[in-house]
Amino acid sequence: SYELTQPPSVSVSPGQTARITCSGDALPKKYASWYQQKSGQAPLLVIYEDNRRPSGIPERFSGSSSGPMATLTITGAQVEDEADYYCYSPDSSDHLWVFGGGTKLTV
Amino acid sequence: EVQLVESGGVVVPPGGSLRLSCAASGFTFRSYTMHWVRQAPGKGLEWVSLISWDGGSIYYGDSVKGRFTVSRDNSRNSLYLEMKSLRTEDTAFYYCAKGREGITGTIPDHWGQGTLVTVSS
């Protein structure tokens, strides 16, 4: 089965830049999306197709991808950004979609 | 406003069966791919299944393939998940999610609040 690997935790001070990585064998050819999940809430899509931001998502959220790694960057992280973040992408067959294990961001 | 309301979550014994429902409103349900995603208490997200707008394309995660069946009724704006041969590891909150429009329909962009399925004797 296919796996996406994320670091369990990332910690930054308010105003600093937070970077969360996601690695997977199919990422060189497949887009990654990113979700934010705050405690007790449903997930929220913050980035799709590697670097596109849905309407209403602050500009401090950005995404990039290079080779087998996708990265979510929060420039000037705020206390309200503290949450679990998950990457999401299909395997090479496009018949199986997978979430990464999640990264707890502490601000 | 997009609204997705899941129902049907209960306590069920191992080996049992259950049917979850998701009532959709606030968008043209028949035009969108829909997903089921689950999350065990205190754990990460796990993609379960997707069904295309017309039911012509259906895919499942490896852990549920052969046991779960997704379906939809576009006349009732409803999504369903039939679950059989349930295992304790199927215990989770089950979320219904709407896919983005067009070719990005494989990306969930709106989620319900989830319904809890507990598999226990």
Side-chain angles (χ1 to χ4, degrees):
Chain A
S1 63
Y2 184 55
E3 292 185 357
L4 296 173
T5 301
Q6 298 180 233
S9 63
V10 169
S11 181
V12 298
S13 299
Q16 288 188 327
T17 296
R19 293 182 180 86
I20 299 172
T21 59
C22 172
S23 61
D25 290 342
L27 287 178
K29 294 188 175 183
K30 300 299 179 185
Y31 286 126
S33 301
W34 290 92
Y35 293 86
Q36 174 195 72
Q37 188 180 32
K38 296 183 178 179
S39 181
Q41 297 184 17
L44 173 70
L45 180 67
V46 295
I47 293 289
Y48 68 99
E49 289 187 333
D50 287 347
N51 55 22
R52 303 188 69 171
R53 211 172 35 247
S55 61
I57 301 301
E59 290 185 5
R60 65 180 180 272
F61 289 88
S62 64
S64 62
S65 186
S66 178
M69 184 171 290
T71 302
L72 172 70
T73 302
I74 308 172
T75 303
Q78 301 184 6
V79 173
E80 69 221 46
D81 299 331
E82 195 163 279
D84 293 323
Y85 289 85
Y86 297 89
C87 60
Y88 169 82
S89 188
D91 73 352
S92 56
S93 74
D94 271 333
H95 291 172
L96 176 71
W97 283 262
V98 174
F99 287 95
T103 298
K104 182 176 182 58
L105 174 66
T106 301
V107 181
Chain B
E1 179 191 2
V2 172
Q3 287 203 329
L4 300 164
V5 179
E6 304 91 340
S7 61
V10 293
V11 178
V12 59
S17 300
L18 194 59
R19 187 197 201 201
L20 304 182
S21 300
C22 171
S25 62
F27 65 104
T28 307
F29 179 77
R30 63 179 181 272
S31 297
Y32 289 88
T33 294
M34 296 296 294
H35 300 253
W36 286 100
V37 177
R38 69 183 182 183
Q39 186 170 34
K43 302 298 183 182
L45 300 172
E46 181 184 7
W47 178 79
V48 172
S49 180
L50 80 74
I51 181 169
S52 61
W53 65 275
D54 62 350
S57 295
I58 290 175
Y59 302 109
Y60 298 98
D62 290 341
S63 62
V64 307
K65 201 175 297 183
R67 300 188 299 124
F68 289 11
T69 302
V70 64
S71 61
R72 65 190 296 162
D73 185 341
N74 288 342
S75 68
R76 296 177 180 271
N77 290 345
S78 293
L79 176 71
Y80 306 101
L81 186 67
E82 195 80 39
M83 309 162 68
K84 298 182 179 180
S85 302
L86 283 163
R87 308 165 180 166
T88 55
E89 55 264 36
D90 294 319
T91 294
F93 289 94
Y94 284 75
Y95 294 99
C96 160
K98 166 190 161 294
R100 284 183 52 82
E101 60 188 5
I103 61 173
T104 59
T106 55
I107 302 169
D109 68 349
H110 286 86
W111 301 59
Q113 287 304 305
T115 188
L116 178 61
V117 173
T118 303
V119 184
S120 173
S121 54

